Amino acid sequence: AAVAYARAVGEAPPVAAEAAAQAAAAAAVVPEAEGLRLHLSSSNPTGYTGLVQLPSGRFQVRRRMGGREKVSLGIFDTAVE
């Protein structure tokens, strides 16, 4: 799911990715996957920007489009895919 977000909005900036990677070291998140720097978030329980964990345990990727409107980019089995 985080890979889909990174593909949709672009990779995280290197400086932000490095700082987030340090914060992620204590959590079970990965800073890079499939050659992309992922958008990590210390304020999101999933560990990634744009992800929401559904009651089913799957992950939905959401992105803001046109200001406030949130658009779903899909539902995934894991937070990283």
Side-chain angles (χ1 to χ4, degrees):
V3 170
Y5 186 85
R7 282 191 179 126
V9 301
E11 291 186 77
V15 174
E18 289 172 19
Q22 291 174 354
V29 297
V30 294
E32 291 187 23
E34 298 183 25
L36 296 169
R37 286 185 306 273
L38 305 180
H39 294 258
L40 305 180
S41 171
S42 61
S43 63
N44 186 327
T46 67
Y48 300 98
T49 301
L51 271 64
V52 176
Q53 188 165 17
L54 303 173
S56 66
R58 297 181 80 198
F59 296 87
Q60 182 176 28
V61 182
R62 296 179 182 169
R63 178 180 181 211
R64 288 197 185 274
M65 300 288 285
R68 296 192 174 154
E69 180 183 352
K70 287 186 180 179
V71 175
S72 175
L73 301 177
I75 296 176
F76 300 86
D77 292 326
T78 69
V80 174
E81 68 179 302

